[in-house]
Amino acid sequence: MQFSAIVLALAFGSASAFVGARVAPRAAKTSAISMTTQEELAELAESNRDALGAGLGFWDPLGCSKMSFWTLSNEETIGYLRHAEIKHGRVAMAAFLGFCVQSLDAVKGAHSTVPYRGYVENVSPQEQWDNIPVIGKLQILTFVGMLESYGEIPGEVPHYTQPGGIPGYYPPLVGKRPELLFNLYDPFDFFVDDDSESKERGLNVELNNGRAAMLAIMAMLTASKGLIVPPLDAIEGFPKYSGDVMVPFEGQLHVAMPELAAWTEQTLAR
């Protein structure tokens, strides 16, 4: 019960932990520039008053902003890196909230209707994933892959590596198919009427929360292995996991699954 109360507080309290201050007019002006240069990237970082922006300014220890990935130019690479950070932050925020919610008794406890075949009560979020049948996991990954592929298709807005592209932009889904009733980004049209300055500040807030979430989910996974991660290791009842989170299909997918091997033998024996 103590852990459930803590995860609820974390889920609803941490979203504003890294909210940025109002964006300086000079930084907001750079959003109109078609391609981001190294100088503009540093200016954007310093105008974002999170821990890195306020304390370190522009932080690029590996010098990636000076590189040119694959066949991309340096400016196109910067667009790619900015988009990648936003996307990883979004995934981390979903993972953080998912870990919290899946640790609540209402989700991990007993259900009158079993959520999926093989469901086991009162296990950690990682074990809940392990217990999902392999076909269910493949369906989840296929769905995520479809969303990922759709996000890479240039539409009304150019690709994020091209002039005029917007890092973090995801094209609308509504109207593409009858069953798609909501957009993945802003499904309830909260930000339709926002001006450019509000959108710039919102992007900074999203960046900051994404960075916090990336640190948080890694800390949670580390603490679940029994390692010392203050203050998570001191929380009574924090979920523990003995498996390997880097092997999401452990015991399910191999070069030849037992079911596939048996089917192959039967087919060849005919």
Side-chain angles (χ1 to χ4, degrees):
M1 191 67 187
Q2 178 184 357
F3 179 69
S4 298
I6 291 174
V7 296
L8 280 175
L10 284 171
F12 295 106
S14 64
S16 59
F18 280 72
V19 170
R22 191 176 185 85
V23 179
R26 185 184 178 192
K29 183 179 179 181
T30 61
S31 62
I33 298 175
S34 58
M35 295 290 285
T36 305
T37 64
Q38 294 182 35
E39 293 75 15
E40 291 156 2
L41 186 64
E43 183 179 342
L44 284 171
E46 291 170 358
S47 69
N48 188 351
R49 309 311 295 169
D50 65 344
L52 290 179
L56 299 177
F58 178 59
W59 192 64
D60 182 20
L62 299 179
C64 291
S65 64
K66 299 178 182 178
M67 299 180 184
S68 296
F69 292 177
W70 307 295
T71 60
L72 301 176
S73 67
N74 177 249
E75 292 182 350
E76 291 171 343
T77 298
I78 290 175
Y80 170 84
L81 292 173
R82 290 186 65 196
H83 187 81
E85 180 181 20
I86 295 169
K87 183 185 294 185
H88 280 80
R90 289 170 179 169
V91 172
M93 286 187 280
F96 171 79
L97 290 175
F99 193 103
C100 292
V101 171
Q102 288 175 249
S103 299
L104 298 176
D105 293 335
V107 176
K108 70 174 184 178
H111 293 270
S112 57
T113 302
V114 178
Y116 53 84
R117 186 176 57 197
Y119 175 77
V120 179
E121 298 178 15
N122 299 315
V123 296
S124 67
Q126 299 97 311
E127 290 171 312
Q128 292 173 40
W129 166 263
D130 289 342
N131 294 333
I132 296 176
V134 65
I135 190 64
K137 293 181 179 179
L138 291 176
Q139 289 176 9
I140 293 172
L141 291 180
T142 300
F143 176 69
V144 173
M146 292 169 61
L147 294 177
E148 174 72 10
S149 299
Y150 181 73
E152 293 292 322
I153 300 174
E156 299 176 358
V157 176
H159 193 266
Y160 50 83
T161 61
Q162 300 302 311
I166 303 175
Y169 174 80
Y170 193 88
L173 290 171
V174 173
K176 303 300 180 182
R177 289 186 60 87
E179 62 269 23
L180 298 177
L181 304 178
F182 300 97
N183 289 319
L184 185 62
Y185 176 77
D186 193 17
F188 303 109
D189 297 330
F190 288 147
F191 311 120
V192 171
D193 298 325
D194 285 358
D195 55 26
S196 58
E197 187 175 349
S198 297
K199 290 181 179 179
E200 190 75 20
R201 181 183 181 277
L203 180 59
N204 276 348
V205 171
E206 183 180 27
L207 275 170
N208 299 337
N209 288 336
R211 290 166 179 168
M214 285 187 274
L215 295 173
I217 188 61
M218 292 304 296
M220 286 177 150
L221 295 177
T222 302
S224 69
K225 297 296 291 183
L227 302 176
I228 299 176
V229 185
L232 298 180
D233 55 289
I235 298 177
E236 182 180 352
F238 192 89
K240 302 298 181 183
Y241 181 60
S242 60
D244 190 343
V245 295
M246 300 304 292
V247 187
F249 289 92
E250 186 172 10
Q252 292 180 316
L253 283 183
H254 305 281
V255 176
M257 293 183 294
E259 297 86 354
L260 178 59
W263 177 85
T264 304
E265 291 178 0
Q266 293 175 2
T267 301
L268 294 178
R270 294 176 181 174

